[in-house]
C-alpha cells in the first residue's frame, strides 16, 4: 500500500510550489505594468502631435486654394465641407481637405482658432485633463509645441 500513496503524492504540486509560481507571476505582471504604462502615455501624446501636424497641413492647403485660413467660427469643419462664409466657394476642393476629423487620444475634438495666440492659427488638443494649460500628461499639445 505505501508505494501507491507515494506515487500519488509525487504526481501533484505542493502548496508551496503553487505559491512560489503565483508570486513569480505577480512580480512579472508588476514589472510589465510599470514598463508599459509610461509607453502608453508617450504613444498618446505622439498620436496627438501627428494628428495636429495632419490638420496643420490640411489648413495650409486650404489657405493656398482659398487665399485665407478658415475663420475660428467655421472651425475645423471647414476642412470637410465649404463654410458659408467662404468668399469664393468655387475654389473649394471637391471632397474637402481631409476625409474625417480625428479626435484626440483622450476622445475630445481638436481645437482651432484663427488668428492664433502662437502663430497665424492654432490647432491643439487640451491633453489628458481636457482643460487649457497643464503640465506633463495634462499639457496642451498644439502646432506650437515641439
Amino acid at each position: 500500500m505505501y508505494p501507491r500513496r507515494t506515487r500519488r503524492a509525487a504526481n501533484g504540486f505542493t502548496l508551496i510550489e503553487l505559491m512560489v509560481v503565483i508570486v513569480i507571476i505577480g512580480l512579472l505582471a508588476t514589472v510589465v505594468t510599470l514598463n508599459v504604462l509610461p509607453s502608453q502615455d508617450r504613444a498618446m501624446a505622439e498620436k496627438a502631435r501627428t494628428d495636429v501636424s495632419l490638420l496643420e497641413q490640411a489648413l495650409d492647403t486650404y489657405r493656398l486654394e482659398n487665399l485665407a485660413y478658415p475663420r475660428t467660427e467655421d472651425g475645423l469643419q471647414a476642412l470637410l465641407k465649404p463654410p458659408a462664409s467662404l468668399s469664393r466657394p468655387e475654389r473649394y476642393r471637391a471632397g474637402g481637405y481631409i476625409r474625417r476629423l480625428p479626435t484626440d487620444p483622450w476622445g475630445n475634438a481638436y481645437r482651432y482658432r484663427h488668428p492664433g495666440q502662437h502663430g497665424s492659427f492654432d490647432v491643439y488638443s487640451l491633453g489628458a485633463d481636457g482643460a487649457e494649460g497643464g503640465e506633463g500628461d495634462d499639457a496642451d499639445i498644439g502646432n506650437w509645441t515641439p
Side-chain angles (χ1 to χ4, degrees), residues 107-125:
N108 302 313
Y110 286 96
R111 306 286 179 106
Y112 169 76
R113 67 180 157 230
H114 172 69
Q117 295 176 348
H118 305 280
S120 56
F121 66 89
D122 292 343
V123 177
Y124 59 101
S125 164

Side-chain angles (χ1 to χ4, degrees), residues 43-56:
M44 291 174 86
E46 190 57 37
K47 183 203 181 293
R49 282 187 200 90
T50 302
D51 287 348
V52 165
S53 177
L54 170 80
L55 292 170
E56 188 177 23

Side-chain angles (χ1 to χ4, degrees), residues 9 21 40-41 47 53 60 75 79 92-93:
V21 169
Q40 181 182 9
D41 294 337
K47 183 203 181 293
S53 177
D60 283 337
L79 297 175
Y92 192 86
R93 178 187 293 184

Side-chain angles (χ1 to χ4, degrees), residues 4 8 17-18 23 28 30 38 40 42 48 51 58 66 68 72 74 77-78 90-91 107 110 116-117 129 132 146:
R4 286 187 184 175
R8 278 189 197 161
E17 290 171 332
L18 289 174
V23 167
L28 288 172
T30 302
Q40 181 182 9
R42 283 192 306 269
D51 287 348
N66 296 289
T72 300
D74 297 330
Q77 290 293 328
E90 69 276 2
R91 298 183 127 226
Y110 286 96
Q117 295 176 348
D129 64 351
E132 294 263 350

Side-chain angles (χ1 to χ4, degrees), residues 11 33 36 46 66:
N11 289 337
T33 300
V36 168
E46 190 57 37
N66 296 289

Side-chain angles (χ1 to χ4, degrees), residues 85-105:
S85 65
L86 197 59
S87 61
R88 299 201 41 203
E90 69 276 2
R91 298 183 127 226
Y92 192 86
R93 178 187 293 184
Y97 295 88
I98 56 175
R99 281 190 238 164
R100 64 177 177 77
L101 285 176
T103 56
D104 72 10

